[in-house]
Amino acid sequence: MEKRPHLKLLKASLLFFLALNTSAQEWDLTASKNINQQPVSQAVDFQGNIYLGFADGRLSKYGPDGEFLQNFSLSNNSAISLIDAQNNLKPFLFYFDNQTITILDRFSTIPKIYHLANFGVEFGMMACPAPDGDIWVIENNPQRLNKVNLLRKSTVIEAQISLGNTIRMMQAYQNFLFVADEKGIHFFDQFGGFVRSIEIEDLLNFHIKDGNLVVFTRKEMLSFSLSKSTVQNKINLPELPFQAAFKMEEGYLFVENKRLSFFKAVLKN
């Protein structure tokens, strides 16, 4: 992916919008739930349910209040690298270590397991589901963005990209595919074409909430409009040793080492 001249303008516009849309607030801890093990991946579905993936391959589901709901019995004993729960009837799991995808099914006790090698992918850096049921995979060496069809076991889209080796997560939503790395978030269209990038320092994770792209860094939450990549809101976050965070229906969830912490932001007068 070549250097784009409009990135400097986009970064300058981002700083301008941040200055106008920064909210001053205090943080109230409303609930805290201990968990037995540090998660290595996490996601929240549209109902606010929380999914935590662990290094031993275990997946646990919690309610929006942090109450434990269930463990999923999985045969894979490697770390869950990515969880996508946008379709909470069929949560999607990517395992980097053994290059497999697992799709759970609410109506079946047997998960569907796919090996990336069966789709001609030699080494997948990251994978996520597409809205149409296909799978997006970032393949390395050479780096390509592939869209594969699970039923036909064929590649339907292949695009050369250049993002480096620091990809942290990816998620598809409507006509966009978002890929996050140490430099920020990169937008691709539904055909795998590069659209634009937003430079964000110290990015931890992002998710889609109410049609906006919500991004968390070590110190801030940024909410972006998808159509123009403009900042709708910025909030300074509490000083916590969290590894990921999510905007919930009421307040915010912070995933810490072995704890789920729930906070509400109270605007200062």
Side-chain angles (χ1 to χ4, degrees):
M1 186 178 65
E2 69 272 16
K3 185 76 173 179
R4 304 286 174 148
H6 67 268
L7 285 182
K8 291 184 178 179
L9 178 61
L10 183 57
K11 187 175 183 180
S13 300
L14 173 59
L15 294 175
F16 174 75
F17 275 103
L18 290 183
L20 293 179
N21 292 276
T22 301
S23 299
Q25 71 289 310
E26 296 177 346
W27 290 91
D28 289 342
L29 177 65
T30 59
S32 181
K33 304 290 184 179
N34 292 327
I35 51 181
N36 295 329
Q37 188 178 348
Q38 180 179 3
V40 296
S41 55
Q42 49 276 312
V44 171
D45 66 23
F46 73 96
Q47 294 179 324
N49 295 308
I50 305 159
Y51 300 79
L52 301 180
F54 299 94
D56 59 4
R58 179 168 52 89
L59 178 70
S60 296
K61 181 179 179 181
Y62 299 79
D65 57 356
E67 290 296 327
F68 173 78
L69 296 179
Q70 68 181 115
N71 278 324
F72 293 90
S73 298
L74 303 172
S75 59
N76 201 321
N77 58 3
S78 64
I80 301 176
S81 305
L82 179 138
I83 306 170
D84 193 310
Q86 292 185 90
N87 180 356
N88 64 354
L89 298 180
K90 294 183 177 182
F92 173 100
L93 312 176
F94 171 62
Y95 296 86
F96 173 85
D97 289 344
N98 57 17
Q99 295 288 287
T100 60
I101 291 168
T102 295
I103 300 178
L104 306 177
D105 192 331
R106 181 178 176 181
F107 304 105
S108 174
T109 58
I110 303 176
K112 295 181 179 179
I113 300 174
Y114 303 90
H115 296 270
L116 292 184
N118 293 337
F119 303 99
V121 177
E122 293 186 6
F123 185 79
M125 301 177 66
M126 191 62 69
C128 74
D132 60 3
D134 290 341
I135 302 297
W136 286 109
V137 180
I138 294 179
E139 186 176 6
N140 200 23
N141 198 23
Q143 197 171 77
R144 294 188 293 261
L145 177 61
N146 294 337
K147 191 179 186 185
V148 300
N149 183 279
L150 295 179
L151 296 179
R152 298 197 302 266
K153 294 185 178 182
S154 61
T155 299
V156 294
I157 291 176
E158 181 178 312
Q160 295 288 334
I161 60 174
S162 179
L163 296 181
N165 297 317
T166 62
I167 295 173
R168 297 177 179 174
M169 64 177 297
M170 59 191 294
Q171 185 173 1
Y173 177 77
Q174 294 183 351
N175 294 328
F176 286 109
L177 173 67
F178 310 100
V179 180
D181 63 11
E182 64 178 6
K183 297 179 181 179
I185 297 182
H186 311 285
F187 289 57
F188 296 85
D189 61 26
Q190 69 269 37
F191 305 110
F194 173 76
V195 178
R196 57 183 173 269
S197 294
I198 303 176
E199 295 185 20
I200 302 174
E201 295 182 357
D202 297 325
L203 184 150
L204 290 178
N205 70 293
F206 68 86
H207 70 119
I208 306 298
K209 178 65 176 174
D210 299 327
N212 290 324
L213 179 66
V214 182
V215 180
F216 289 90
T217 73
R218 292 288 179 188
K219 297 181 179 180
E220 300 169 334
M221 182 218 74
L222 308 171
S223 180
F224 292 90
S225 165
L226 294 182
S227 59
K228 298 181 180 179
S229 301
T230 54
V231 177
Q232 304 298 306
N233 192 21
K234 171 191 171 185
I235 292 180
N236 294 321
L237 299 177
E239 295 184 4
L240 293 172
F242 66 94
Q243 63 189 47
F246 297 89
K247 185 177 181 182
M248 308 292 278
E249 286 302 317
E250 296 184 6
Y252 295 81
L253 163 67
F254 294 89
V255 181
E256 300 181 65
N257 185 344
K258 293 183 179 180
R259 181 167 55 235
L260 302 177
S261 297
F262 297 84
F263 280 82
K264 282 189 177 181
V266 181
L267 295 179
K268 295 181 180 179
N269 293 328

